[in-house]
Amino acid sequence: MRQQLRNFSTLMECSKACAAEFFKTARRVIDERGEFTFVLSGGSTPRIFYSLLADIGRENLIDWKRVFFFWGDERCVPPESPGSNFGMAADLLLAKIGVPPENIFRMPGEMLPEEGAAAYEKELERFFSHGRRSGGGWPPRFDLILLGIGSDGHTASLFPRGEVLHEEKRLVADVPAPAGMDPAVPRLTMTLPLINRARLVWFLAAGADKARIVTDIFANPGMPSKYPAAAVQPEGELVWYMAEQG
Ligand code: 6PG
């Protein structure tokens, strides 16, 4: 695993750098392989980044029809719910760029959690069984997975001491509602076997409390850690986008 840390003073600066790198990376991959598979994260930190992708992307910097959108985790709520990670990205990005609906693979937060996880894994099997994608091996390799990090070091919905951290078979799992986090509902999450197959993983984080965690993880790559985010060690490259101010 190759990794790098990119520090910025503000979340706006960090998000602009992330957006610029997104278009550069996506265009390179589309030129090479004809499409780009992008896994979005939830939470509040990526909001500016998603808005920038919509604003800049409108200048035809990228053929959105060649980008396929997935989610790394989702709250078990309907897509129209304020707590939906999909709903947030749909409002800020997807609704503005005219991406074909068949390019959007929403995690079914409205289903029973265990059924929703199984259904999404089936969806991934279908998507990656076609054409050149099937040559990528299994678990499938996403071109880019965007992740956030919580102040307890969780990422996606992989929370500290969660059984799902030891999942070796399922690529998508359901997890119980995390204590003390809103919305207090179960979650669906990609698991580490899937996340760590990625060609590229970006963490996007802001604020002093997260900077301390990121610094600790970055300084001790591959070492056992109480932080679930430290278990993200992709086969490809890992880039930490860190903003001092939230
Ligand atoms: C979620 C996210 C989660 C998020 C972190 C950071 O469903 O909430 O996927 O993993 O990335 O909790 O959230 P903030 O960006 O809001 O701090």
Side-chain angles (χ1 to χ4, degrees), residues 41-46 73 75 85 147-150 154-157 181 187 210:
S41 86
S44 56
T45 304
D73 73 324
R75 293 79 177 274
N85 289 338
L147 293 173
I149 187 167
H154 82 259
T155 189
S157 287
M181 278 191 73
R187 313 287 177 104
K210 296 179 184 182

